[in-house]
């Protein structure tokens, strides 16, 4: 990386028509006046990218004193990536139609999923269409921007990052996820309640992070030198049945993302370690009969299954918001700035040499977790500094956590292999080993897989298993 | 570690009569007003510890607004360590009489050493008397302060830290050395010269550190996103013969610690990587005929062999300074405060949860350098946070560096084993594999070893090899 | 090892009063006419050792053409070990009174054990008294026979071998167990039935072995190039409910060691890999509600819980047999020679350079199973050749097996640490993580542990946790 | 692998027109009456393959009681590989014209090579044309015979085997080399001389093998339990100047392959370990000024530089022999049978389940040498059994050997990467780090590389670095 002019950097955004992450990035970039430049938005939905370019370009005009980033829609991946210093990937693989099949098709077999984008039958079938897209992206990075840093937000996180490294081993990529931040927030509230202190912030909670994305764990947590692990045990025992008082009880009933952290507490009591992701994600990695044998069981554990219909409705709202932004009439038509809680821009600055940072990201295992296979995509803390992201030695997964994590970690690695080889049978073998399907017969697993693959067929690569 | 009261911490200082590191620590502690407490000074020279306690206690009176630390001499290791939160070790193993033998005895065999405390015949014989002392210390930490953090400054660094971990595997210890800082300063000056910029500070130079103490390397260095490696090549080529313009030429002639970095430049040209320690230290790890076949050769490479007579003279000056402090008449009798350039107190604060820090330290290899054996004491960057020091994945030593480092790394590990076993023969086997002795016959190695061991005999453990 | 005179080797037998393994060894030695020498029998029951010496010395007289080994009782470990080339360890740690508590005390809490000597509450409490004995043995080997090869048969195998290596890292020790042989025999019978061939022998069944002792697995098995894994699936499906036809149904009812391999078959259907130990051993590593929630459940799975009363009765018979041998009246008083199925003597010969051998043994993990921690005592194939036993790279445990094995593997390592530190609390922490106790409250685990420790107190080391 | 009919196996031979290895294989196959089948000979020189088919088919007719293998020339790789159970690769990459450049072009720069096919400038440029050929072969194996076992004899061994695994990670391939056997033969002669025994055979010499091909080492060697290391030291000291008495002095003067093992002895005295390859190979891995600064220096060390003209002459003789065989007139026209000393057929039988075997082969490092990077192609002992070749844990390279081996090991890995990426610059970077070129300026290295690449251009892949 040559000496970067911090006023003239280029960010390529793949999935640049996004109405979630892309808007967050715009807001975070606007607030960082030390750096400026161009964001090239690339999206297979070209109109969405153009709309977002327009929305992005309004920001500097609408807000005083912000960093005047320029937004432009790029026609091709090549155009977006050429000259880029950073590449952000945040795509929806397929549409919510395919996702509806991922999430709900297994219900016919008594298998429920709370998210369906990471692991479980939904996560693995989503991987079938996502991995080939990331092959394309990895090749493009190799050809047009081999020195650029790549930040992925897309799920299934581990398999996306894994694909990037398998296809282009020289890539400088990492995956970001804010689920650990949420657990740190829970620890803030717990610390306030248990120690009688106030105004605890995420930065005060020091943690060691280890695991695979969305099934990440903390084996050490402290606040000003106080070991939080024994406190968390008390807290977990206190609230495992009723849910933590961190969310408004009314909100917990209606907000599909809300939970009382009861799954987290139960996992602590089972293992002695803090599971560090939302309960909806955690539950999908466990045997079905722990938390989700039937939908009411999830409700009993204080969390919700996210129906894809909710996502479709939410998209309608986002599209409306997009139109409002494009009409650009204050106040609703002006994007408000403010904390997003994301760290992407801080990471970019750290990589530019503008302030070191230690935070949790997803990277290939080079030994930071010695008892997961090398090459597994793992989530741990990493040091960000100039042109460099290096994992911190997180240490081995405790045995009680390893016995839960070994299988999904292996499955994710194996699914990348299977799809890169275009092997329907190998992909099925991984699918059939998923723990949520533990109660199904081999025949039912086969029938379910075939049905789910059929539903996502339009997004499979052309050379998908020719023996089919 | 319970919640620490930052106004009431206890530091035990082993070697507390020291007139070098101890005074530096006093000055750094005084400047840190966020923390305060007691420093228990333990020294086998009890009078020296008492003098230092008096000197330390003057500081708060002499300087306004500083942190009022209390200093006391401890009668026993047990008294010093009991209740300690931090333990600093900075001892002189034996006296300068033994060191005179370590450094100069090999000269009779045509073997010259520039320092003689880390590697080479001098370093290994020093290890014979130091390792047993560190066994005693490790046992005391285990028995009286198993949860305390231990910071070692004593040489031979790697063998000292190695002994602590072998004897008490649960110890929380690390070793600190400022040699890398010196190389970062050189990179500051280089950056200024080569890029035409000014006021570059050590914090601007981002590096990846890897190797064994005093033979540490940088495989990546940058300044504001600019890769410094190609610049360093030009700089090395420019100054390999004349020496860098970083030290006053007059100073270079007379100051025994001064150098023109020509060894560093030559090692870069040989390997392609930046050696990150003073030339005096680096030269001792290389074959004798590279830089020190005879004393004039060292001078030709722009560095000096440090005679132990210099150390003896220096001690006379320090003793005088100590008396002056004890007489406590301004201005000479008042210890001045000011930057020491050391990081020990910052590390202490980070471990107390008062600000994270990434810096280079010596720790057992748990995979941070995958191609050195696990358990080798290696120097890399590490993340300091609340009650936690975790190495950053530094990556493998490049082959060109590994071929120089493998042998001393192995020798250091093997010498700890040999001394813990009290085996004269195993110790000799390590000694005889040292590269500086490459030209000696087996008989000469044997004779030299026996002579050097005899000179240090008073400090060997009582149960030293009974077959002798 | 100097050039051995194969006619004059010395074997030390610790536990030399044994009436099981010792007699097997005598028979195997007698049949090996290439080697001869002395066996020094050491036992804390000196009379038993003397009796066995007498019995052993009759053999050469009673049988023509056998190797005339000399047997003698040794008064001390020192006497037994001094000059030994090989050391066999086969001891009963404590008496059957302590074992009765190990096995049956947990029943009051609804916890059943089929063996109780390897894992589970019984195995861990047995370890409390066994590990200190192995410390003593390891020190004696270090002091009196550091170059001798040590063969252990004692359970808990992994913790015994682990202790030997922790106390004397330079030891040349391995642990032998015939459970894998039994699984190979099952594969012989299966091959005959499924392929319609006859006279398949253990040597025809080629396997890759990996896991921890008594919870060992095969991830590859073949017969003359035929992959046996798919055949085994059919066989497992066929017999998982009824039991394999390999044992006489009448015998299965009454013989406490007999089983229909239903646990093995079920484990295959759960994981896809062949569990390679007796069902009694395998069941103890699994959650209690899989096979042993109550005694009838075990019977339903076709295996028996071994009551210690059976062992006591069996001992009575062995003592009677011993008396008969000592009376030395043919035919009952003459020990018959014949195949024992054990490999100890073949291993001894291989180490003497008299024929290479590949077989499964227990050794510290140096990477032969990359996803178990280094240093874990693991069972894999190893190459035996002159003065050398090196593990074969077995590869990683499959995820489905790792999720079952990670916890017991870690517990075994941690229990050795706990007992070497004499820490009651650390020992309890390991005990409480055992999977068989999964349904107990923390209070019940504590009460059970204290009760079981009290029952074995006479055999705990004198310096056992003084805080008690 | 299905159950193989041992009377009907298919071997594909790539390079089947070879007049060296192919004839040896024919002879070895003929002697193995337990197995029989077809050998498909594929060669880009189709005529040579046809000739060899004819020669091979004569054997069964000419010799009574031999195994009647059928030989046929295959038109395409696809035809050769389809249905193959085993694949042998023994090709000459390019012609002796290219090899003449590899070996002799560097002489203009004062760089001499004794073989020029493994390492050094010759080995690396040979790799440029060989790696692409092995890419083609790896793809063909993947597509036509993914379950077949692949045995490579081609040099540069490590880079050939490395390419096979990089291109088709699922391949079952290993590389065979008889150089270690030669060192075992030397140990036989040494044992006879030093111990006064007779008729020592290679099987009596038990060794641990570790290193990279042609720079392989023994850190343990014994004969009937006698440690041979101290004896070898005496032997090395005795003969390091005069050469061992194992070859007739007259032969040593004229036979280009003959040597007095002086390089081996010197390497032992430098490192304490036995280098286990011919002196011609060993010398090329060392700094040029150790053994080959000029041609006379090699002669002084008792070995010969092999001129390519010798190979050309030898080829003329082999072609004549081939014609003689084709004319098929006894006695010269009949291929004699007899010991070849090669193990390929024994390995084939072991993989077929017909007798286990432990021998040294080249495989990717999965931890058998823990201090070389994973994935490096290393040579150690391995266990051959049914459908399985697993490395034996060889342990770490001693530091004294690692410091010599780290660089070539890394270079070989990096050259495979460079050529797979078609990167002239990366290939040059590897070339320029070779130790034999240590005395050359960067400019001379560049000029030499370009000249050597130009000479082999006809065999570079079409898509070789387009920037050229």
């Amino acid at each position: 990386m040559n000496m970067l002019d911090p006023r003239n950097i280029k960010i390529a955004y793949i999935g640049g028509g996004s109405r979630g992450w892309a808007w967050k990035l715009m807001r975070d970039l606007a607030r960082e006046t030390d750096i400026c430049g161009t964001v090239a938005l690339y999206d297979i939905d070209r109109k969405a990218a153009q709309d977002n370019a327009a929305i992005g370009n309004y920001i500097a005009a609408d807000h005083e004193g912000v960093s005047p980033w320029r937004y432009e829609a790029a026609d091709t991946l090549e155009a977006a990536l050429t000259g880029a210093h950073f590449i952000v990937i945040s795509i929806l693989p397929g549409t919510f139609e395919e996702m509806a099949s991922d999430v709900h098709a297994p219900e016919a077999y008594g298998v429920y999923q709370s998210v369906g984008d990471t692991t479980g039958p939904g996560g693995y079938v989503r991987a079938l269409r996502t991995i080939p897209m990331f092959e394309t992206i990895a090749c493009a990075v190799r050809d047009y921007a081999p020195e650029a840093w790549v930040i992925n937000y897309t799920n299934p996180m581990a398999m996306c990052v894994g694909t990037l490294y398998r296809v282009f081993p020289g890539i400088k990529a990492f995956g970001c996820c804010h689920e650990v931040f949420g657990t740190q927030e829970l620890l803030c509230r717990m610390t306030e309640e248990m120690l009688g202190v106030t105004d605890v912030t995420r930065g005060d909670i020091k943690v060691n992070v280890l695991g695979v994305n969305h099934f990440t764990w903390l084996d050490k947590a402290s606040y000003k030198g106080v070991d939080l692990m024994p406190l968390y045990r008390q807290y977990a025992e206190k609230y495992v049945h009723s849910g933590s008082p961190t969310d408004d009880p009314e909100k917990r009933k209606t907000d599909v993302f809300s939970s009382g952290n009861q799954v987290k507490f139960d996992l602590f009591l089972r293992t002695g370690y803090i599971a560090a992701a939302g309960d909806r994600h955690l539950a999908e990695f466990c045997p079905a009969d722990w938390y989700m044998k039937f939908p009411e069981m999830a409700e009993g554990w204080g969390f919700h299954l996210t129906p894809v219909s909710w996502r479709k409705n939410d998209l309608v709202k986002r599209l409306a918001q997009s139109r409002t932004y494009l009409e650009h009439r204050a106040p609703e038509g002006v994007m408000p700035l403010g904390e997003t809680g994301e760290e992407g821009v801080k990471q970019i600055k750290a990589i530019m040499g503008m302030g070191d940072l230690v935070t949790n990201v997803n990277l290939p295992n080079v030994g930071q977790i010695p008892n997961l296979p090398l090459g597994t995509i793992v989530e741990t803390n990493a040091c960000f500094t100039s042109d460099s992201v290096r994992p911190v030695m997180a240490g081995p997964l405790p045995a009680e956590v390893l016995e839960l994590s070994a299988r999904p970690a292996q499955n994710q690695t194996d699914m990348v292999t299977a799809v890169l080889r275009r092997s329907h049978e190998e992909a099925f073998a991984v699918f059939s080993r998923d723990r949520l399907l533990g109660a199904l017969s081999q025949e039912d697993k086969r029938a379910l897989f075939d049905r789910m693959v059929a539903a996502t067929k339009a997004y499979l690569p052309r050379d998908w298993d020719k023996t089919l």
Side-chain angles (χ1 to χ4, degrees), chain A residues 81 87 135-147 167-171:
Chain A
L81 300 191
I87 300 165
E135 283 183 73
T136 303
I137 295 171
C139 290
V141 172
R142 182 194 61 204
D143 293 341
Y144 306 125
E147 292 299 316
V167 174
F168 175 29
I171 204 167

Side-chain angles (χ1 to χ4, degrees), chain A residues 177-187 202 207-210 213-214 216-218 276-278 359-361 379 381:
Chain A
C177 174
H178 53 197
E179 293 284 322
V180 170
F181 304 170
T183 305
Q184 286 174 303
E185 293 292 345
L186 173 65
L187 292 175
R202 190 161 77 75
V207 296
N208 187 50
V209 177
L210 70 183
N213 181 247
H214 290 166
T216 320
W217 298 76
L218 312 179
T359 191
N360 56 295
V361 289
E379 186 162 338
N381 280 326

Side-chain angles (χ1 to χ4, degrees), chain A residues 398-417:
Chain A
E400 292 81 3
V401 173
L402 180 57
E403 70 190 25
L404 296 173
S405 307
R407 185 188 293 229
Q410 190 63 50
N411 279 353
Q412 292 174 343
T413 299
D414 291 350
M415 184 56 92
V416 174
T417 306

Side-chain angles (χ1 to χ4, degrees), chain A residues 217-349:
Chain A
W217 298 76
L218 312 179
D219 65 353
K220 196 172 169 88
S222 65
Y223 165 75
K224 297 198 175 173
V226 184
D227 182 358
L228 296 180
M229 301 300 277
L231 291 181
Y232 193 83
R233 179 176 294 280
Q234 293 172 34
Y235 193 74
E237 284 169 350
K238 185 170 174 187
Y239 292 119
V240 66
H241 299 306
S242 63
S244 63
T246 44
D247 266 359
D248 175 349
E250 279 315 297
K251 192 182 168 203
R252 274 176 50 197
K253 282 189 203 145
T254 54
D255 178 353
V256 76
F257 292 110
S258 180
S259 90
N261 299 301
Q262 290 164 253
V263 170
K264 256 193 281 308
F265 298 149
D266 187 59
L267 284 172
F268 184 89
L269 297 176
R270 284 172 179 270
T271 64
Y273 300 93
I274 301 174
D279 282 19
R280 291 155 59 247
H281 282 301
L282 297 171
E284 295 187 338
F285 283 90
C286 298
D289 57 1
W290 285 14
Y291 308 114
M292 291 197 302
K293 200 162 180 180
F294 38 87
E296 297 73 17
M297 195 173 176
E299 299 295 325
W301 280 99
F303 70 100
H304 307 276
L305 310 185
T306 319
V308 175
S309 57
W310 185 93
R311 293 185 190 272
K312 290 180 180 172
N313 286 338
D314 184 60
L315 180 59
V316 170
K317 289 183 206 161
R318 288 172 187 270
L319 288 169
Q321 181 64 59
S322 180
R323 282 191 302 272
T324 307
Y325 284 153
L326 286 168
E327 289 164 7
H328 196 218
R329 272 182 303 219
E332 296 80 9
V334 169
M335 186 182 291
L337 303 187
E339 269 300 342
T340 66
E342 300 298 332
E343 291 200 333
V345 176
K346 272 190 205 161
Q347 291 166 345
I348 285 175
K349 287 182 68 180

